Amino acid sequence: MILLTNEDVEPLLTMPDCIEAIEAAFCDLGNSDAVDIPRQDAIVPIAREGAIHDLKTMSGSWPKAGMAAIRLNSDIVTGPIVNGMPRRGKIPLSEPGGRYNGAVLLFSTDTGQLLAMINDGIMQRARVGATSGVAAKYLAPSGAKTLGLLGTGFQAGGQLEAICAVRPFDTIRIYSPTKENRMRFAAYFAANLGRDVCAVGSAEEAVEGADVLVTATNSVSPTVKPEWLKPGMHLSSINRTELGPAVFTKIDRLVVNAREGGRSYTARNAPSIGGFNQGDRNSHTGIADVSKVPELKDMVSGKVPGRQSGSELTCFHNYQGLGLQFAAIGAIVYREALKRNIGLKLDDRYFTQDVHP
C-alpha cells in the first residue's frame, strides 16, 4: 500500500491527462459501465460558535481502470462574511500547526485490496477543473478567444488550466473582490500559461466580450447577473449557489454534472451554514425541473448533443461532486507513483486481514 501526500501527487498530474481520464470515466458511467455513489454529509454542532463538523463521503468504481475510490473528509465548517458577502469556509484545526483532513482511498476492483491512501487536496482541484474542461470541450464555442474568470482561489486556478487546455484563448480577464489576490493570480497564470492574463477592477469588466465565462468562488449568493449573458457564450460554474434562477431562464443548452444529489444528515441544533442544503442536496438552486436536464455522462457518451450552433448560450453547472472522478484521477496518480517510485510504501498486512469481516 502506498501513502501519498499532496506534494507527492502534484507532479504526477497534468491537466490534459486528467481531462482524458474524466471524459473516459463519464463515458463509461453514461453507458452503465461504471458506478457512482452520491455524496453524503453528516453534520453536527460543535463547541466552536457558528461552526459545524461535517463528515463527508463519496465513492465510485471504474472497472476499466481496475479502480474504486472513496473520498473522505472530516471538516470544521463556518460561514464567514468576506467583503460584505457570505461565504462557506473550512477551518484548519488539526495538528501540527493547523491542517485540514481529507483522503482518497483507492482499491483494486480485481482483488479488493487497498492500493493507496492519498491526500485529497490536489486531486480535488484536478477533478473539478478537468470535469469543467470536458464540458467546455463539448459546449464552448470552438473559436473562443476571450475568457472571463470570477474567482482567484484554489479551485479557480484548476478551472483556468482546464478551460485553457481545450480552447485557444488570446485574452483572459480575472476578477475577485480583493485586489492583491487577483493581481497575484493573474501574474502567476500569465507566466505559467503563456497567455495574456490580466486582472480587472470589476466583474463587469471580466465579463465584457467574453466567449466563455467561468465562476469559481465559494460565494453562497449569486455571482453572475443574467444581463451579462450573450448569445454564443458558454457559462461554467462550480458552486450550486453561484447561479440564480434568472440566469437559467436565459440558457439555451444546460448540462449538469449530475442530477442526483447526495444528502445532508443534520443533528439537532447544528447552525445553518450557507452553501449546504442542510436537509436535501437534491435541491438545485434556480433550476425549475432538474429531471429534464442532461447530465455530463449523457453528453460524453453521445446520448445527447453538445453545442449545436454558434448562437447557442450554453451552461455547465458543475456543482455536484462524484466519487467516480476520484477513481479516474486516482488511476493516474497510482500509475505514475508506481512508475516513478514515489510515495511511502507500507506493509500490506496492516491493511488486510484473515478474519472474515
Side-chain angles (χ1 to χ4, degrees):
M1 204 280 288
I2 304 175
L3 194 64
L4 294 161
T5 67
N6 284 317
E7 292 75 17
D8 294 326
V9 169
E10 193 161 19
L12 305 180
L13 294 174
T14 69
M15 190 54 73
D17 284 348
C18 292
I19 290 173
E20 181 180 1
I22 290 289
E23 183 174 12
F26 270 86
C27 184
D28 280 359
L29 186 62
N31 289 321
S32 299
D33 292 324
V35 172
D36 181 81
I37 298 176
R39 168 177 166 170
Q40 308 287 303
D41 292 84
I43 298 170
V44 298
I46 61 175
R48 179 181 288 263
E49 185 176 357
I52 59 170
H53 177 259
D54 176 30
L55 182 66
K56 177 176 68 183
T57 59
M58 60 180 72
S59 58
S61 185
W62 189 22
K64 182 180 290 184
M67 198 70 64
I70 297 175
R71 190 246 186 134
L72 172 67
N73 294 90
S74 175
D75 295 325
I76 306 301
V77 184
T78 64
I81 303 298
V82 180
N83 293 306
M85 300 294 290
R87 303 285 180 91
R88 179 166 60 90
K90 300 177 183 180
I91 307 176
L93 295 179
S94 295
E95 296 297 335
R99 293 166 68 85
Y100 299 100
N101 302 282
V104 176
L105 305 182
L106 295 180
F107 296 88
S108 166
T109 59
D110 297 317
T111 67
Q113 191 163 354
L114 178 63
L115 301 174
M117 183 181 300
I118 311 167
N119 283 162
D120 73 330
I122 296 299
M123 293 179 69
Q124 156 76 349
R125 181 179 184 268
R127 64 103 183 186
V128 178
T131 303
S132 294
V134 171
K137 178 179 173 180
Y138 289 81
L139 292 171
S142 58
K145 298 297 183 184
T146 302
L147 170 65
L149 174 63
L150 307 180
T152 56
F154 184 61
Q155 289 289 355
Q159 294 294 304
L160 182 54
E161 290 174 4
I163 304 296
C164 285
V166 299
R167 289 296 184 269
F169 298 105
D170 294 331
T171 302
I172 299 166
R173 301 194 191 101
I174 310 294
Y175 174 74
S176 68
T178 304
K179 182 178 181 180
E180 293 79 7
N181 290 347
R182 63 181 184 255
M183 295 297 291
R184 186 184 312 112
F185 185 96
Y188 175 85
F189 282 101
N192 282 269
L193 294 177
R195 312 271 182 110
D196 177 15
V197 184
C198 60
V200 295
S202 69
E204 287 81 0
E205 287 182 74
V207 173
E208 181 63 32
D211 302 303
V212 175
L213 172 60
V214 177
T215 174
T217 74
N218 62 353
S219 173
V220 298
S221 55
T223 57
V224 175
K225 296 180 180 179
E227 58 266 28
W228 294 347
L229 304 180
K230 307 298 180 186
M233 179 185 283
H234 174 59
L235 171 65
S236 185
S237 72
I238 67 166
N239 183 339
R240 68 177 55 230
T241 56
E242 289 179 306
L243 306 181
V247 165
F248 293 106
T249 65
K250 300 196 68 173
I251 302 300
D252 298 314
R253 190 172 301 277
L254 172 64
V255 175
V256 295
N257 198 26
R259 285 190 296 266
E260 182 183 0
R263 285 196 61 86
S264 296
Y265 300 89
T266 307
R268 185 166 60 94
N269 297 326
S272 179
I273 303 294
F276 280 108
N277 215 314
Q278 302 277 85
D280 184 0
R281 293 186 62 83
N282 282 295
S283 175
H284 297 69
T285 301
I287 303 176
D289 185 0
V290 75
S291 68
K292 298 179 180 178
V293 179
E295 296 177 292
L296 182 62
K297 67 178 184 180
D298 303 321
M299 187 169 62
V300 172
S301 61
K303 293 180 173 62
V304 300
R307 172 177 287 271
Q308 293 297 288
S309 74
S311 62
E312 271 193 324
L313 177 54
T314 62
C315 176
F316 178 52
H317 202 21
N318 182 17
Y319 59 85
Q320 179 71 40
L322 276 70
L324 179 64
Q325 296 165 312
F326 288 98
I329 302 301
I332 302 172
V333 171
Y334 186 67
R335 179 192 72 211
E336 293 299 316
L338 290 181
K339 184 187 301 183
R340 306 184 199 188
N341 196 30
I342 289 175
L344 176 63
K345 294 178 175 62
L346 302 176
D347 192 327
D348 289 320
R349 291 177 300 170
Y350 292 107
F351 305 97
T352 59
Q353 56 184 322
D354 58 10
V355 176
H356 189 303

